């Protein structure tokens, strides 16, 4: 059973718990995100592929390039990997060609979110006994692979077998410094041009810069199953309040423009979800939706984007740990590319405020109430918007409409009128 | 004071003479050093790019000050001089210079006369209440190059001065008084910056007054205007009666100089020495050996030193800070004019609270740091002092854009070098170290404790950044360096705009091609070795409509329960400009706004009160107006419609460029009875779609920015100019011969997009005789229809969409507009099964 509210790649743990199940068998597309409560067994499905043609393409391509090749694949093609290995005549010592392994087909939840990452259970068919302890291991979209000591992933040419799915998009984003080739099994052809995907990276960079200017941030709960999601939410909350900004947690299932537009006060949303559904970008969204990794870049001062991109919760949290220790916030205000000048984050303000008063939460209400009781002149027609609101109540104060107006002068009941009838798509009188 | 003029009229050269007089550079090299051009590229190109301050100290003799009528205390004068660039692309530097000075020396080429940039800067300076004095420069050209006779030269000068006065006369200002300049009052000088000599009529009046037995002022009057001297009768008349009659100016000023120059140039030393002796000029022995031009230069420098004439003019006629701040306080201070800060500025009180305006940031020699350069308007700034920095976005009473920091060092700017001083009192320019991390471009400084001070008014620039390039680094890992470089670039130039495109590209926007070129070069320097790739320059366009929507369009909300009926129409002529200028805006009093709209633009009085918003960014030149009658709950969706409008007006439907000059009318609204079904989630995107649909039905058009080009060239070059302009879609709207010169003045409109490489081509076509000055003038509608495939506008739209990474095809109207009574196909994707369920719902 897949998670219908969020994304079909995740396990619907909540749904499974309704029927007191003890284990979930997940069919089809999956992101292999670690679960938090239930053990899960995965059936990847077997997509059809012409193995010999694929191998031929691969060998042709490998002969043209002098880089070692790392073969990655969509999980629906995992079933042919042993066959491909065989046809390639791959020996373990051959460093020119290596194949990634499937992480596992069975996940059991662990209390510590980091544990499941440190001890990945390798896929039963693969032979991992000889993996070197000093090698660097990578994990992405359910695949895992090791690189021998001294080599970097940038030195490799990534060969992806599978369709242009979100798993592949993640690979392109994460390893944006690598050369990547995709073999499309359905079309039986090689795709080498990923202009559109590369463009996404720049676009994400723009969103990060935009998020830096945000005052109110909505944290969208995009999963209730992926291990560590609660930890991530708390981490984001802490991060945002440390940056002197205001956050609200919103749970709305899979976000769409109409749902998000119900919160126009939020300048940016952080979507906390599994790696494969995390990238939400559409012109229809009024405010940008970013991933936790991007939020980290945007809200921790002094962190600069260098091209690295992380998708998994564990990676993000680990990276923050190492970063925050190294970095002590500089005094210099932040330079905003949208306002073309220095912008002071409200950090100092809030710190000062928290010192004098007890908690920010209760005081905002008090202040809001104070403001609401102020004598406001006939400025209802004024078109000026005040400076950007820093919290929800403040935003609402600037709105023109403040609820139904009760006209106290006219006490007589209004005469009743006949309303419309029919359906919204076309009423009867139309 | 600042030195302002058109490009190549000799500001920096003339400034040299003044610097030489203060003993900073040798008199002999004055005119060649260009002390105030501190950058390598300035020297290389021979144009000034950045304005440079220099503080000069002079001691005047008692004799020269005896007729000074103003208040004075001692004979020592400190002049804070700022040399500014003349090229129009850098006129933001002029703005920054004018703000922190009280007087301006306007330099005009005696042959070329008042040019477009002279006019611009003159208007700017008067707007800032800065008193001008004029110098007619390049006098040497009259004598050596053109060899014009006295009367013709006089007519020339007279015309130049008159032209300048015409501009000044349009700026009547009771506080500033009469700002026009008169040679006979000593507010006009005649100079030859290259040779380092200059005179005012005062100089000659002094020489002749005793000879004629009249007062100096009487003599000065005779030396200008319709006063003639008959050498036969030795009498002054006001008519050119007899042939022996000569104009006073020609007889007593022009001719003697002409004789002197000719004598020197012809090396008639036997005649020269007695003449010099008569005038009481001493020459050094080695100087006597000089021949030709160098001899002439030395002789003229000794006889009529430029510094004396100009200094005298400045000291006598330009106001001291004490005088000037009295009337400038209104222009300068944003707060109430009766608080103690206004009073301190008004009185130029060195013991009052500190009020200091930082007008620009100057890159320091150690990489990455900047000096904050500005002027102290009241109080005293000293090393180690703690100051409050109020940035351009500071709102009194709030903590936004406000910092308290200490000044590490105060420095006086001396062109190429700086001198550290303990403190700087009001009235002076100053550079400060240690504040650069808190000031982007400009700001106001006060004492730490002066929490209720308002900031000084921000500067308004006369040019706008319409040319843009995208920059990216060659190596992705250099991105932090690029960001840092852009940050510094934004600081070092008052007007450059460093922004970001939706696609994630970094954009540098400037006034023109030259400006961008300099900015990119600076950026490269700031990045310390990391390579950047610069895209071809592009211009940003605007989207607008040509006529009213052909029908009322309707859009439904996502839940189909709400409907919005809208129409778009073009704004009345001039309305968009009025909004740009700020004459009409969101913060106006609604009564005044509706009065202007009704009287100037023929709006209905009631309608003017129904404007919901301006956009984009709440101040832009588009509006949304409520035309509904008796709609329930309308008030409730206003916020949502406005939010949708702000969004849509920022990214139009054609190429996601800003919209301009469109008025959207909300004609009717049908809303669901339950508030939950007409919330902002439903209405914002609906409003956006309705706006797009109404625009697409109103003959959408693109607007492109257009430069006004002014070219000065001799008759022979006209053919070349016309052919280049024709090639570039430009059209000439004014051609005029400058009276008394062989030069023609051409004014033309030229699309900014065609201006790249324009000046190079023009130079090639006219063998270097024509030099254009381009200023952004207006937005021009492109006549072709962007919706018609294959049209010029459609190709342009496709290009922009490609650049921005959008879908190449525009979203069709049918996606934005909904129709009643149609078959509705709703494809619902069932996420659980992954299958598609097609429902066909018949409606109506």
């Amino acid at each position: 059973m897949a998670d219908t509210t969020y994304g079909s790649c995740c396990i619907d743990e909540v749904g499974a718990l309704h029927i007191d199940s003890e284990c979930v068998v997940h069919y089809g597309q999956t992101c292999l995100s670690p679960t938090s409560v239930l053990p899960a067994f995965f059936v990847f499905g077997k997509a059809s592929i012409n193995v010999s043609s694929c191998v031929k393409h691969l060998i042709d391509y490998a002969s043209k390039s002098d880089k070692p090749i790392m073969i990655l694949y969509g999980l629906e093609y995992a079933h042919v990997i042993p066959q491909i290995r065989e046809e390639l005549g791959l020996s373990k010592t051959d460093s020119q060609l290596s194949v990634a392994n499937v992480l596992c087909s069975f996940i059991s939840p662990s209390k510590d979110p980091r544990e499941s990452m440190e001890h990945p259970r390798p896929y039963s068919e693969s032979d991992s006994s000889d993996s070197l302890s000093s090698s660097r291991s990578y994990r992405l979209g359910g695949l895992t692979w090791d690189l021998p000591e001294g080599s970097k992933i940038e030195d490799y040419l990534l060969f992806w077998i599978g369709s242009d799915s979100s798993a592949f998009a993640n690979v392109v984003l994460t390893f944006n410094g690598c050369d990547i080739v995709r073999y499309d099994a359905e079309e039986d052809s090689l795709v080498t041009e990923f202009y559109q995907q590369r463009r996404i990276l720049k676009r994400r960079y723009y969103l990060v810069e935009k998020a830096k200017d945000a005052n109110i941030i909505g944290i969208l709960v995009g999963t209730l199953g992926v291990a560590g999601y609660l930890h991530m939410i708390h981490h984001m909350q802490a991060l945002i309040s440390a940056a002197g900004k205001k956050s609200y947690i919103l749970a709305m299932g899979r976000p769409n423009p109409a749902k998000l537009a119900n919160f126009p006060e939020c300048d940016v949303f952080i979507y906390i979800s599994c790696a494969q559904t995390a990238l939400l970008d559409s012109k229809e969204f009024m405010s940008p939706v970013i991933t936790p990794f991007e939020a980290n870049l945007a809200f921790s001062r002094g962190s600069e984007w260098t091209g690295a991109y992380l998708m998994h919760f564990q990676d993000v949290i680990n990276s923050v740990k190492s970063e925050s220790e190294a970095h002590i916030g500089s005094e210099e205000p932040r330079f905003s590319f949208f306002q073309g000048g220095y912008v002071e984050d409200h950090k100092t303000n809030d710190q000062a405020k928290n010192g004098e008063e007890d908690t920010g939460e209760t005081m905002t209400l008090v202040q809001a109430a104070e403001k609401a009781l102020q004598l406001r002149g006939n400025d209802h027609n004024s078109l000026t918007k005040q400076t950007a609101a820093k919290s929800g109540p403040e935003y609402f104060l600037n709105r023109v409409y403040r609820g139904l107006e009760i006209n106290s002068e006219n006490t007589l009941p209004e005469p009743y009128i006949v309303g419309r009838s029919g359906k919204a798509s076309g009423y009867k009188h139309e | 004071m600042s030195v302002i003029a058109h490009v190549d009229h000799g500001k920096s050269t003339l400034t040299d003479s003044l610097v030489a007089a203060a003993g900073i550079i040798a008199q002999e090299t004055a005119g060649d050093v260009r002390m105030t051009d501190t950058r390598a590229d300035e020297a290389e190109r021979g144009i000034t790019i950045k304005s440079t301050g220099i503080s000069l100290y002079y001691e005047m003799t008692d004799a020269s000050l005896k007729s000074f009528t103003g208040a004075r205390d001692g004979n020592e004068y400190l002049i804070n001089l700022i040399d500014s660039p003349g090229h129009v692309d850098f006129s933001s530097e002029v703005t920054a210079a004018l703000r922190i000075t009280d007087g301006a020396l306007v330099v005009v080429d005696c042959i070329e006369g008042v040019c477009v940039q002279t006019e611009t800067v003159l208007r700017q300076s008067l707007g800032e209440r800065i008193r001008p004095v004029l110098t007619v420069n390049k006098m040497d050209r009259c004598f050596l190059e053109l060899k014009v006779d006295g009367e013709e030269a006089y007519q020339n000068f007279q015309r130049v001065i008159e032209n300048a006065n015409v501009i000044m006369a349009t700026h009547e200002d009771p506080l500033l008084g009469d700002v026009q300049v008169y040679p006979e009052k000593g507010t006009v000088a005649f100079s030859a910056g290259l040779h380092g000599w200059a005179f005012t009529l005062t100089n000659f009046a002094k020489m002749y007054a005793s000879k004629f037995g009249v007062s100096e002022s009487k003599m000065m009057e005779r030396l200008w205007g319709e006063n003639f001297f008959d050498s036969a009768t030795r009498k002054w008349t006001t008519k050119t009666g007899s042939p022996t009659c000569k104009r006073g100016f020609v007889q007593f000023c022009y001719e003697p100089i002409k004789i002197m120059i000719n004598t020197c140039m012809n090396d008639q030393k036997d005649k020269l020495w007695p003449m010099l002796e008569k005038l009481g000029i001493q020459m050094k022995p080695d100087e006597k050996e000089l021949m030709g031009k160098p001899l002439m230069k030395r002789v003229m420098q000794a006889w009529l030193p430029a510094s004396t004439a100009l200094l005298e003019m400045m000291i006598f006629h330009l106001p001291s800070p004490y005088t000037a701040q009295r009337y400038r306080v209104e222009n300068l201070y944003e707060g109430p004019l009766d608080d103690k800060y206004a009073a301190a500025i008004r009185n130029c009180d060195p013991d009052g609270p500190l009020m200091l305006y930082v007008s620009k940031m100057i890159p320091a020699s150690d990489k990455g740091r900047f000096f904050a350069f500005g002027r102290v308007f009241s109080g005293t700034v000293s090393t180690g002092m703690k100051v409050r920095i109020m940035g351009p976005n500071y709102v009194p009473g709030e903590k936004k854009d406000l910092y308290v920091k200490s000044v590490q060092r105060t420095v006086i700017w001396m062109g190429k070098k700086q001198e550290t001083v303990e403190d700087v009192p009001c009235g002076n320019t100053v550079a400060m170290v240690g504040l650069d991390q808190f000031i982007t471009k400009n700001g106001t400084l006060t004492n730490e404790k002066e929490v209720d001070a308002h900031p000084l008014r921000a500067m308004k620039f006369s040019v706008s950044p319409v040319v843009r390039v995208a920059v990216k680094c060659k190596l992705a890992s250099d991105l932090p360096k690029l960001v840092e470089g852009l940050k510094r670039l934004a600081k070092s130039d008052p007007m450059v705009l460093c922004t970001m495109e939706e696609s994630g590209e970094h954009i540098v926007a400037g006034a023109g091609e030259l400006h961008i070129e300099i900015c990119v070069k600076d950026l490269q320097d700031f990045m310390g070795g990391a390579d950047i790739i610069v895209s071809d320059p592009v211009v940003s366009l605007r989207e607008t409509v040509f006529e009213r929507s052909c029908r009322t369009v309707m859009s439904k909300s996502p839940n189909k329960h709400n409907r919005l009926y809208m129409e778009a129409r073009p704004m009345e002529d001039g309305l968009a400009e009025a909004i740009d200028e700020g004459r009409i805006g969101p913060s106006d009093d609604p009564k005044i706004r509706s009065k202007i709209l009704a009287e100037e633009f023929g709006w209905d009085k009631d309608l003017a009160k129904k404007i919901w918003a301006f956009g984009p960014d709440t101040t832009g030149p588009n509006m949304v107006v409520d035309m509904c009658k008796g709609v329930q709950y309308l008030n409730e969706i206003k916020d949502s419609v406005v939010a949708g409008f702000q969004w849509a007006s920022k990214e139009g439907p054609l190429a996601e460029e800003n919209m301009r000059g469109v008025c959207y009318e909300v004609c009717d609204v049908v809303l669901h009875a339950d508030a939950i079904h007409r919330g902002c989630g439903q209405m914002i995107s609906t409003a956006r779609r309705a706006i797009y649909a109404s625009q697409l039905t109103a003959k959408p058009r693109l607007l492109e920015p257009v430069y006004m080009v002014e070219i000065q060239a001799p008759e022979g070059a006209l053919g070349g100019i016309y052919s280049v302009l024709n090639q570039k879609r430009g059209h000439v709207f004014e051609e005029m011969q400058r009276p008394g010169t062989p030069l023609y003045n051409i004014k033309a409109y030229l699309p900014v997009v065609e201006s790249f490489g324009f000046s190079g081509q023009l130079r090639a076509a006219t063998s270097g005789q024509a030099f254009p000055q381009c200023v952004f003038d207006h937005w021009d509608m492109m006549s072709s229809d962007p919706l018609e495939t294959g049209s010029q506008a459609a190709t342009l739209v496709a290009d922009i969409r490609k650049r921005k990474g959008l879908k190449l095809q525009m979203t069709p109207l049918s996606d934005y507009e909904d129709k009643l009574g149609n078959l509705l196909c709703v494809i619902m994707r069932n996420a659980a099964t992954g299958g598609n369920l097609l429902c066909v719902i018949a409606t109506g």
Side-chain angles (χ1 to χ4, degrees), chain A residues 307-323:
Chain A
Y309 203 90
L310 303 171
M311 301 294 298
H312 286 278
F313 291 167
Q314 285 82 6
D315 301 343
V316 173
I317 288 174
N318 290 346
S319 79
V320 175
K321 289 242 165 72
S322 56
E323 214 171 73

Side-chain angles (χ1 to χ4, degrees), chain B residues 250-266:
Chain B
V250 178
Q251 172 80 12
F252 295 108
C253 304
Y254 195 81
E255 298 276 315
I257 295 171
K258 195 174 168 184
I259 293 166
M260 180 70 84
I261 288 178
N262 286 344
T263 323
C264 293
M265 290 306 282
N266 300 336

Side-chain angles (χ1 to χ4, degrees), chain A residues 199 205-206 262 420 430, chain B residues 440 502 506 563 671 681 803:
Chain A
R199 206 151 191 152
Y205 172 55
Y206 165 82
N262 278 319
R420 289 187 297 249
E430 282 165 346
Chain B
T440 321
E502 290 259 322
H506 282 288
R563 294 180 217 147
L671 295 172
R803 197 181 78 223

Side-chain angles (χ1 to χ4, degrees), chain A residues 115-148:
Chain A
E115 204 177 293
S116 63
M117 183 214 164
E118 279 159 19
H119 307 287
R121 258 171 288 262
Y123 193 46
S124 53
E125 283 180 53
S126 76
D127 191 0
S128 68
S129 57
D130 59 343
S131 71
L132 297 159
S133 57
S134 60
S135 66
R136 223 180 132 196
S137 75
Y138 287 84
R139 211 185 65 130
L140 189 87
L143 299 174
T144 177
W145 64 93
D146 296 327
L147 291 185

Side-chain angles (χ1 to χ4, degrees), chain B residues 35-70:
Chain B
M35 180 71 186
T36 45
D37 284 355
T38 49
R39 295 158 49 111
D41 50 353
E42 287 182 323
E44 196 181 296
R45 288 162 189 265
I47 58 165
T48 308
I49 291 166
K50 301 282 173 194
S51 57
T52 311
I54 188 158
S55 298
L56 304 169
Y57 165 81
Y58 301 100
E59 248 186 78
M60 301 298 281
T61 56
D62 274 325
S64 59
L65 284 173
K66 73 172 190 290
S67 53
F68 185 67
T69 48

Side-chain angles (χ1 to χ4, degrees), chain A residues 4 199 202-203 205-206 258 262 283-284 332-333 337 342 349 383-384 400-401 405 420 424-425 427 430, chain B residues 399 437 440 491 500-504 506 561 563 612 635-636 639 647 656 670-671 681 803 805 832 843:
Chain A
T4 48
R199 206 151 191 152
K202 280 180 131 185
R203 167 81 186 164
Y205 172 55
Y206 165 82
N262 278 319
K283 288 253 78 137
E284 297 298 309
E332 190 176 0
F337 278 108
Y342 281 119
N349 273 353
L383 304 179
T384 32
V400 179
Y401 177 69
E405 282 150 40
R420 289 187 297 249
S425 50
Y427 294 103
E430 282 165 346
Chain B
K399 287 184 175 168
Q437 285 181 308
T440 321
K491 242 183 230 193
M500 213 173 174
E501 197 103 295
E502 290 259 322
S503 58
H506 282 288
H561 288 287
R563 294 180 217 147
W612 270 1
N635 208 9
E636 204 178 318
D639 289 298
W647 185 12
E656 299 202 349
V670 179
L671 295 172
R803 197 181 78 223
T843 61

Side-chain angles (χ1 to χ4, degrees), chain A residues 10 46 57 67 77 84 130 152 205 207 228 241 271 307 353 366 374 381 401 425:
Chain A
C10 292
K46 292 179 180 173
H57 275 294
K67 282 183 173 182
Y77 296 106
I84 290 177
D130 59 343
K152 287 185 303 212
Y205 172 55
L207 296 181
S241 71
Y271 189 45
K353 203 195 277 170
V366 173
Q374 276 170 7
N381 274 332
Y401 177 69
S425 50

